[in-house]
Amino acid sequence: MPYFTYTGRAASGEMVRGVGEGSSSGALADQLAAAGIIPLDILPSTAPQARDGSSLLEALAPRIPHEEVLLFCRQLHTLLRSGVPILRGLAGLQESTRNKAFADMLRDLRESLESGRELSTSMQRHSRVFNPFFIAMVRVGETTGQLEHVFLRMFHHLEFEREIRTQVRAALRYPLIVMVFIGAAIAIVNLFVIPQFAKVYANFNTELPLLTRILIGFSNAMVDYWWAMLAVLIGALLGVRGWLASERGRLSWDRWKLRIPIAGKIILKATLARFGRSFALSGKSGVQITLGLRTVAPTVDNKYIESKIDQMRLGVERGESVLRTATAAGVFTPVVLQMIAVGEESGALDELMDEIGRLYQREVEYELKSLGAQIEPILIVALGALVLILALGVFLPIWDLGRAALGKSGG
């Protein structure tokens, strides 16, 4: 999203200047108004890093581990709750951390605060560490005076995100390893095993079975043109990567992967869990629904569902209910829609959205535990079919020769 420089007046009456991110100047004005700042002037700008050349430095700097940000939230919550000034707290965290990149980031935050910037504005200089949702929550905490509570909620939110990622990676590790070994076995058989059998079959002076001819032809192609196949494979991977990097490609892929058998329902439930927890967190922090939907949308990690949440926001801005816009989006399960309906009716939408997050987190955990058992039969059938094709292709000529030899001896 584009950046804008803004000038506004805070609730206390003091002038506020900074750089914000939004889909348009009007969207940024809504964010500022929700944070208690009356916008006076909003002009297009570049990312805040570009003004001091830190954008390039951040791009080249090593990535900061997720665990460092997690501990940062917890430690800063404890320091602020104990009454430690934020500048002193950041200095202490900078001295105690062993991660040089994280220490440099903390030093930049402290220097930015000392120059008069707000913490949320300072964090915008490190977009690789703090996403828009994180910054929006910090901005709300600064406005409401509940910054320590915001950091505690962000700690629990980031911990939830880490658990989801860890569980997904653990569940996919076994199928990926099996697929890699199957690919390696196919390559070894075609490059080294089948060519040896082909030399033997060349002395038979008889027509080979169709399956055998197909296997030998594919093996010869791999032996003679392996470099071309490798180049095509690399080109295809680069092409797919470039396509996924585009807005249209990422949207299509994120929509399609929700329909993948077995994995699709897990991805959808994990996405709904992120949406529920993030939306509940924004509501508990005092963020307006429209601004909450805007900041929550990128956290679902799915461009297709993110576009649907943006449609919800536009509908709410037109005066429609959250339930009606969620129903029109067509991506939410009946359970989610029912909880939204009850939440709007009772005025406890944030509590019920948090319950949705917990519900689908438990379902994701259950699905991931049984994922191996669901995928294992498919892998066994695929491996069995591969072995059967190779065995028939290699041994059919031998069986034919054996029958022919028996027929001659019998005659």
Side-chain angles (χ1 to χ4, degrees):
M1 289 190 292
Y3 286 86
F4 300 88
T5 57
Y6 64 85
T7 303
R9 191 175 298 279
S12 59
E14 61 178 334
M15 296 295 295
V16 178
R17 293 180 177 84
V19 179
E21 184 182 11
S23 58
S24 65
S25 58
L28 179 59
D30 292 339
Q31 297 182 37
L32 294 174
I37 300 175
I38 301 175
L40 301 176
D41 189 23
I42 299 178
L43 297 174
S45 175
T46 56
Q49 301 95 321
R51 292 182 298 176
D52 56 4
S54 61
S55 179
L56 179 59
L57 294 177
E58 184 186 358
L60 298 177
R63 284 192 173 274
I64 294 176
H66 185 82
E67 291 75 12
E68 289 283 356
V69 183
L70 189 68
L71 292 175
F72 167 75
C73 292
R74 184 64 178 181
Q75 292 168 343
L76 204 54
H77 158 72
T78 303
L79 291 169
L80 293 176
R81 188 185 61 180
S82 302
V84 178
I86 189 168
L87 284 173
R88 180 180 169 188
L90 291 175
L93 293 178
Q94 178 187 341
E95 294 177 1
S96 61
T97 184
R98 297 183 179 180
N99 188 298
K100 185 178 183 303
F102 191 64
D104 292 340
M105 187 271 295
L106 291 176
R107 185 183 67 252
D108 184 76
L109 285 181
R110 186 165 51 83
E111 292 175 352
S112 181
L113 287 173
E114 290 174 346
S115 65
R117 296 189 183 98
E118 295 179 337
L119 180 60
S120 57
T121 304
S122 303
M123 285 180 170
Q124 287 180 342
R125 300 158 58 88
H126 303 276
S127 57
R128 294 178 65 190
V129 182
F130 306 109
N131 58 33
F133 180 70
F134 195 114
I135 295 170
M137 292 298 101
V138 172
R139 183 178 293 116
V140 170
E142 290 174 324
T143 305
T144 60
Q146 298 183 349
L147 194 57
E148 67 275 14
H149 300 298
V150 167
F151 277 112
L152 180 60
R153 291 169 183 166
M154 287 305 303
F155 167 77
H156 292 302
H157 177 74
L158 294 176
E159 190 176 35
F160 160 76
E161 289 285 329
R162 184 182 65 170
E163 290 176 358
I164 290 291
R165 291 194 190 98
T166 302
Q167 292 166 0
V168 170
R169 289 171 183 168
L172 295 179
R173 187 176 298 120
Y174 168 72
L176 289 176
I177 291 176
V178 173
M179 292 176 64
V180 168
F181 274 101
I182 289 177
I186 292 175
I188 292 173
V189 168
N190 281 281
L191 291 175
F192 302 103
V193 178
I194 292 181
Q196 299 301 320
F197 279 94
K199 294 178 182 179
V200 176
Y201 297 154
N203 299 323
F204 287 175
N205 295 323
T206 184
E207 185 178 4
L208 299 173
L210 176 62
L211 183 58
T212 304
R213 296 200 303 271
I214 293 175
L215 289 178
I216 292 177
F218 184 72
S219 174
N220 291 336
M222 285 194 67
V223 172
D224 296 336
Y225 303 104
W226 63 267
W227 52 271
M229 291 184 175
L230 183 61
V232 170
L233 178 60
I234 294 175
L237 291 176
L238 293 176
V240 170
R241 183 177 180 182
W243 179 69
L244 292 177
S246 66
E247 188 73 19
R248 183 176 179 180
R250 178 69 185 275
L251 183 66
S252 300
W253 164 244
D254 283 348
R255 181 179 183 179
W256 179 80
K257 70 183 181 183
L258 296 175
R259 305 174 183 175
I260 300 176
I262 301 177
K265 62 180 181 180
I266 299 178
I267 295 173
L268 177 60
K269 290 178 180 179
T271 303
L272 294 178
R274 290 192 186 98
F275 171 72
R277 293 291 291 268
S278 301
F279 195 40
L281 176 58
S282 66
K284 291 178 180 178
S285 301
V287 180
Q288 295 178 352
I289 290 181
T290 53
L291 180 57
L293 289 172
R294 183 193 303 277
T295 55
V296 162
T299 68
V300 298
D301 196 26
N302 187 292
K303 284 291 182 182
Y304 176 67
I305 295 184
E306 179 182 342
S307 66
K308 295 298 183 179
I309 296 175
D310 284 334
Q311 292 178 15
M312 287 178 59
R313 176 182 56 81
L314 294 175
V316 172
E317 289 177 348
R318 291 192 299 266
E320 300 177 14
S321 66
V322 178
L323 175 61
R324 183 174 180 179
T325 57
T327 304
V331 295
F332 298 104
T333 62
V335 174
V336 175
L337 296 177
Q338 183 178 359
M339 297 289 260
I340 291 176
V342 175
E344 276 196 306
E345 186 70 23
S346 62
L349 185 59
D350 53 347
E351 295 180 7
L352 290 178
M353 293 303 293
D354 188 49
E355 187 60 34
I356 289 174
R358 296 179 187 276
L359 170 66
Y360 279 109
Q361 181 182 2
R362 290 191 294 267
E363 291 202 15
V364 168
E365 291 174 354
Y366 173 77
E367 293 283 355
L368 290 175
K369 288 179 182 178
S370 61
L371 180 61
Q374 298 179 59
I375 294 180
E376 188 172 354
I378 300 176
L379 294 177
I380 291 175
V381 170
L383 186 59
L386 175 63
V387 172
L388 178 62
I389 292 173
L390 292 176
L392 290 177
V394 170
F395 294 110
L396 271 179
I398 299 177
W399 291 337
D400 291 343
L401 288 176
R403 286 199 301 267
L406 289 175
K408 289 180 179 181
S409 62

